Amino acid sequence: MRLLCSFMVLIALFGSVTPAQAQPMPQCGQVITQNFTLMGDWGCGNGPALIVGANGLRINLNGHTLSGTPAIRMIDVDGTTVRNGTIPSNIEAVSATNTRFVDMTMGQPSSASGGDWTGSTVTFVRSKITMWRLFCGTHCQFQDSTSSLNQIYADHLVLRNGGWHAINFVGALKADVVNTTLHALTIGGLERLTIRGSELKGAEVIATGRIELLNNTFSTGNWLGVHRPVSGIIRGNRFEKMQQAGLAVRAPSTLNGPLLIERNTFADNRRDGLRIDVPIPLDITVRRNTSENNGQYGMWAPEGAVTDGGRNVSNNDALGCFTIVCGSGG
């Protein structure tokens, strides 16, 4: 009797107790206008699974898989966040701004898997992206994420603090690669390319603006090739174990400003450590670099093509240095 009375008092104070209502499973093509949590795996074979119909929505996949053609459609919406799940199929985003994917696994290794953004600012946080191609819009950032892509393009692309990225073709107006491991064939920055504190394998720089390569390790590819008329700084890097030259600067025409190559190490490359092969004298300064154990020249440049800034060192290179004066490190 005393327990019953106590229970009646609780009901009087707090109201009756009912089980939490589970959010229902969506319908294929359902327009979402409120925050949404997926309660189980959901797929739509023909047409979109979910359509984002309002700004600022948070979609929690709750550890589940969402698929469709596309899995999510976002048109003229802002501030969508999708988190905690798997999307193996396409995503469609048109004028979708400030989109975030957090703790996601996205895409599949096939030519049918891709994403297109024509808006601005899409960010991947702690996510794994596997797609054939990703056109990322105005501003695309990968933070603490990994990716496997054939090609990616964005007006401004940022790869930051990633475990690794395997991307064949990286294209952007402005590109920043920071504290990241990247396997790439080509990296483009039409206006600016910055690579800092990173490890790159098999990359060629296709840039036409300013480049800043600072404190990186480049290895195991053909070379780190700079093939366009750039300007900027290449400082504090290690170029090692390349099949051709460690660093090859082969601009066919006049640079758009001075290029400084300093305090780098060129080591254990099959041919030259540093090779500057330009048809006319350019505004290139080479100083305080070290080459060692390269199969041909430690540092090579045509007569009169560069400014020798001094204090370059060659150790155990097969042919020493050519036109660039190299001392011995002892």
Side-chain angles (χ1 to χ4, degrees):
M1 187 67 178
R2 183 176 297 174
L3 290 174
L4 179 60
C5 291
S6 299
F7 184 67
M8 294 301 292
V9 170
L10 289 173
I11 291 177
L13 290 174
F14 301 106
S16 61
V17 179
T18 59
Q21 292 293 320
Q23 199 159 3
M25 294 294 286
Q27 301 295 315
C28 288
Q30 181 173 331
V31 178
I32 304 298
T33 58
Q34 297 180 353
N35 294 339
F36 179 81
T37 299
L38 189 64
M39 303 310 295
D41 293 347
W42 178 249
C44 297
N46 188 16
L50 296 179
I51 299 173
V52 178
N55 293 332
L57 292 191
R58 291 173 292 175
I59 299 174
N60 183 2
L61 299 187
N62 201 25
H64 298 297
T65 297
L66 177 69
S67 59
T69 52
I72 297 178
R73 175 174 290 163
M74 293 176 280
I75 299 177
D76 294 321
V77 291
D78 178 78
T80 305
T81 298
V82 184
R83 65 186 312 121
N84 189 25
T86 299
I87 297 179
S89 51
N90 292 1
I91 293 171
E92 180 184 355
V94 178
S95 299
T97 59
N98 300 309
T99 307
R100 287 170 58 85
F101 295 95
V102 182
D103 297 320
M104 293 290 299
T105 298
M106 300 173 63
Q108 56 186 329
S110 76
S111 59
S113 181
D116 294 278
W117 272 263
T118 61
S120 63
T121 312
V122 55
T123 303
F124 300 92
V125 181
R126 298 187 302 274
S127 295
K128 180 180 179 180
I129 314 302
T130 303
M131 293 182 182
W132 178 250
R133 51 139 178 83
L134 179 60
F135 296 156
C136 240
T138 303
H139 187 101
C140 184
Q141 177 167 297
F142 290 73
Q143 183 173 327
D144 300 310
S145 296
T146 64
S147 69
S148 179
L149 299 161
N150 182 61
Q151 57 183 293
I152 187 170
Y153 179 82
D155 290 349
H156 186 190
L157 175 65
V158 179
L159 305 178
R160 185 185 303 275
N161 300 334
W164 58 266
H165 295 276
I167 308 173
N168 285 336
F169 304 100
V170 179
L173 294 179
K174 300 177 182 178
D176 294 276
V177 180
V178 182
N179 298 330
T180 291
T181 299
L182 173 62
H183 297 206
L185 293 179
T186 61
I187 304 174
L190 293 178
E191 296 179 2
R192 178 178 57 77
L193 172 64
T194 299
I195 306 175
R196 175 163 50 86
S198 296
E199 180 181 349
L200 278 84
K201 298 180 183 296
E204 293 201 36
V205 174
I206 307 298
T208 56
R210 179 173 177 81
I211 64 171
E212 295 180 355
L213 309 181
L214 307 172
N215 304 313
N216 306 287
T217 297
F218 299 91
S219 65
T220 69
N222 243 0
W223 51 34
L224 190 283
V226 179
H227 301 302
R228 301 288 175 86
V230 299
S231 64
I233 302 172
I234 301 176
R235 175 191 292 143
N237 305 282
R238 184 175 180 88
F239 301 87
E240 65 178 12
K241 300 177 182 177
M242 303 285 198
Q243 294 301 308
Q244 303 291 329
L247 170 63
V249 180
R250 308 183 70 181
S253 60
T254 304
L255 302 185
N256 58 24
L259 178 64
L260 175 61
I261 302 173
E262 68 171 1
R263 298 181 181 179
N264 302 285
T265 299
F266 311 101
D268 301 302
N269 298 290
R270 185 175 180 181
R271 296 187 178 178
D272 302 331
L274 168 65
R275 186 173 185 89
I276 300 174
D277 192 0
V278 292
I280 57 177
L282 302 180
D283 192 358
I284 301 175
T285 299
V286 179
R287 68 187 185 195
R288 297 188 179 189
N289 300 284
T290 299
S291 61
E292 55 191 23
N293 303 317
N294 294 288
Q296 295 185 2
Y297 290 97
M299 300 178 219
W300 187 96
E303 185 73 35
V306 303
T307 299
D308 187 340
R311 302 181 69 175
N312 295 294
V313 173
S314 170
N315 290 318
N316 199 35
D317 296 309
L319 300 177
C321 293
F322 182 76
T323 75
I324 299 171
V325 178
C326 294
S328 174

